[in-house]
């Protein structure tokens, strides 16, 4: 009888505590370059946490990620997630490419698809 109780306790403990993934490549703070005109920089923050269960949490463009998934497949580490501006959803996909990330965001209600690049945010000194 002790084994089932221990197994249930372990299951409850691991299911209520999100575990960080062993895939840190996309984890962390990013600066996304959304510039559409040369010489006019326009960046927004993206914070990603890839969890061991395959989910993604964080924020993009100061909007909380509502639903997200990540996967390593075919030699690439990518994530997809949904955010909102309060009017409609934004669907974003991002892949790690060397030391930077490349992605695209689609907003059907705004009738646009935007390709973008991102670099790691500078680390701040403690």
């Amino acid at each position: 009888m002790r084994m089932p109780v221990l197994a249930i306790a372990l299951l409850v403990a691991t299911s209520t505590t999100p575990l960080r993934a062993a895939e840190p490549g996309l984890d962390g703070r990013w600066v996304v370059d959304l510039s559409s005109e040369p010489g006019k920089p326009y960046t927004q923050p993206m914070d990603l946490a890839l969890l061991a269960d395959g989910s993604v949490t964080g924020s993009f463009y100061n909007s909380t990620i509502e639903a997200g998934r990540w996967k390593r497949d075919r030699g690439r580490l990518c994530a997809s997630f949904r955010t909102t501006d309060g009017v409609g959803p934004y669907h974003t996909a991002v892949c790690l490419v060397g030391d930077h990330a490349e992605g695209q965001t689609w907003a059907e209600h705004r009738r646009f698809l935007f390709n973008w690049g991102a670099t790691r945010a500078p680390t701040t000194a403690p």
Side-chain angles (χ1 to χ4, degrees):
M1 280 294 180
R2 288 191 70 166
M3 192 58 150
V5 172
L6 180 59
I8 291 170
L10 182 58
L11 178 62
V12 169
T14 58
S15 65
T16 59
T17 305
L19 300 175
R20 294 302 288 238
E23 291 285 357
L26 279 172
D27 264 359
R29 298 179 53 81
W30 295 87
V31 177
V32 179
D33 181 1
L34 299 169
S35 304
S36 60
E37 296 180 40
K40 293 188 177 182
Y42 181 64
T43 63
Q44 286 293 316
M46 178 173 69
D47 295 307
L48 299 176
L50 280 60
L51 305 180
D53 66 357
S55 64
V56 176
T57 62
S59 64
F60 177 43
Y61 206 111
N62 299 308
S63 177
T64 300
I65 292 174
E66 296 177 347
R69 302 294 298 170
W70 70 268
K71 185 173 185 177
R72 176 176 286 286
D73 191 23
R74 302 170 200 259
R76 299 189 316 161
L77 174 61
C78 300
S80 293
F81 53 84
R82 183 181 72 242
T83 57
T84 184
D85 62 0
V87 176
Y90 286 73
H91 301 277
T92 297
V94 58
C95 294
L96 187 64
V97 180
D99 65 347
H100 67 281
E102 295 177 1
Q104 66 178 201
T105 300
W106 172 49
E108 184 176 11
H109 68 291
R110 299 229 183 254
R111 301 182 73 161
F112 80 79
L113 176 68
F114 198 85
N115 295 323
W116 49 261
T119 56
R120 293 238 179 243
T123 56
T124 56

